[in-house]
Amino acid sequence: MSAYLTELFSLAGRRALVTGGSSGIGYTMAEAIGRAGAEVVIVARRRPELRRAADRLAAHGVKASWISADLGDRADLDRVVEEGGEIDILVNDAANNIRKPMAELTDEDYEQTIALNLTAPYLLGQHHGPRMAARGWGRIINIGSQQTNSAFGNSGVYGAAKAAIAGLTRSQAEAWSRDGVCVNTIIPGFVLTPLTEPAQAIPGRTEELAARHMSGRNGLPADFAGAAVFLASSASAFVTGQQLFVDGGFSVH
Ligand SMILES: NC(=O)c1ccc[n+]([C@@H]2O[C@H](COP(=O)([O-])OP(=O)(O)OC[C@H]3O[C@@H](n4cnc5c(N)ncnc54)[C@H](O)[C@@H]3O)[C@@H](O)[C@H]2O)c1
Ligand SMILES: O=C(O)[C@H](O)[C@@H](O)[C@H](O)[C@H](O)CO
């Protein structure tokens, strides 16, 4: 890397925590942030997947560790805060989508989804945001969805949480940007990951969604590497409170 690019994008000396970093978009962002120089802590539930992801990161020369936790569980979340240590870059990626017609969603579906998709990003931000601000530098990357701004079938409570993520991002940015903490939301298109396997299993749906992207294809985890490094780095020092659409033009088609 030229000295110029290093100054803009290097994450050497930074420490990142990536929730959902064991698979899909989260893994790619963890790898990209790690390969740009940061030490990375990934958080998800399943140990075998976490181990495999940490091994892959290590194979890329990334200093990586993992914490197994259910981020929808408050005691586990507190443990992530405790074991995670000081963090310069927080990526709130972990999420789940309970796909049911709106009227069939139960109270439990609502509570589980809000706990994982909204409360966990909020509480991790409440812990790390002020600490980043006190140190004068930080980055929080929250992951939204097309549902942040528009309706999608059978995703009622997921959509509600993802819309709230944009509001959370703005509030966090308003609170901490003056102290060097940039907070932004990434908005993916339809991305081929384990999360969307139920949608991919519907005949014709993958092709239909591909056609709704201006790029003519669905997203892949690799499409998120550049955005993650940009938003985690000093290159984005004057970008805060925003939604960055990494969606092949889906939202404007
Ligand atoms: N794939 C898409 O089309 C798409 C579109 C828009 C937004 N997103 C968002 O991107 C992010 C990543 O999704 P993905 O598509 O890569 O899916 P994925 O299923 O590959 O990744 C989700 C990650 O979250 C973790 N996770 C799930 N439940 C958890 C829990 N209770 N506690 C801890 N970790 C948990 C999983 O282990 C996994 O690492 C999510 O925020 C998702 O809402 C995805
Ligand atoms: O779980 C899912 O099926 C995804 O998150 C979808 O809802 C879409 O891919 C997303 O909304 C596009 O951004």
Side-chain angles (χ1 to χ4, degrees):
M1 229 195 308
S2 71
Y4 177 66
L5 288 182
T6 301
E7 194 184 319
L8 274 178
F9 294 112
S10 173
L11 302 180
R14 307 290 186 202
R15 201 154 177 276
L17 186 134
V18 182
T19 73
S22 65
S23 90
I25 297 169
Y27 173 78
T28 294
M29 293 193 293
E31 185 188 304
I33 287 169
R35 290 177 76 171
E39 178 187 341
V40 176
V41 183
I42 56 174
V43 182
R45 281 164 307 175
R46 290 182 290 267
R47 290 163 196 272
E49 276 87 344
L50 281 161
R51 268 192 214 104
R52 264 199 300 277
D55 287 349
R56 272 178 78 189
L57 291 171
H60 286 293
V62 178
K63 186 175 177 198
S65 58
W66 52 268
I67 303 171
S68 165
D70 178 352
L71 289 162
D73 178 275
R74 188 60 191 261
D76 268 19
L77 192 78
D78 289 346
R79 188 167 50 76
V80 169
V81 162
E82 204 173 296
E83 292 177 13
E86 294 304 326
I87 297 297
D88 306 297
I89 300 159
L90 169 65
V91 182
N92 284 308
D93 171 88
N96 194 20
N97 186 0
I98 297 172
R99 297 154 203 275
K100 287 183 183 172
M102 194 71 194
E104 290 176 21
L105 286 165
T106 63
D107 290 358
E108 199 189 345
D109 294 335
Y110 173 84
E111 273 150 26
Q112 274 182 12
T113 305
I114 296 297
L116 175 62
N117 296 13
L118 182 60
T119 308
Y122 168 77
L123 289 174
L124 290 173
Q126 287 297 91
H127 178 78
H128 289 293
R131 303 173 87 88
M132 292 174 185
R135 292 194 298 270
W137 197 95
R139 296 287 184 269
I140 301 177
I141 303 173
N142 295 317
I143 312 300
S145 151
Q146 295 300 315
Q147 276 105 308
T148 298
N149 302 301
S150 44
F152 236 68
N154 291 347
S155 284
V157 65
Y158 177 88
K162 291 298 187 181
I165 280 289
L168 175 66
T169 293
R170 285 190 292 272
S171 299
Q172 292 174 326
E174 207 277 335
W176 302 316
S177 295
R178 281 172 190 268
D179 297 310
V181 183
C182 297
V183 188
N184 292 288
T185 302
I186 289 179
I187 308 281
F190 184 79
V191 188
L192 304 177
T193 67
L195 179 77
T196 55
E197 276 167 8
Q200 293 174 47
I202 301 168
R205 181 71 171 149
T206 308
E207 295 73 18
E208 178 211 329
L209 287 164
R212 286 173 61 184
H213 295 73
M214 285 180 176
S215 301
R217 65 168 176 88
N218 291 306
L220 296 169
D223 292 316
F224 295 83
V229 172
F230 171 63
L231 290 181
S233 69
S234 295
S236 59
F238 201 51
V239 181
T240 196
Q242 303 302 313
Q243 298 180 23
L244 176 58
F245 293 81
V246 183
D247 71 352
F250 190 105
S251 52
V252 287
H253 203 194

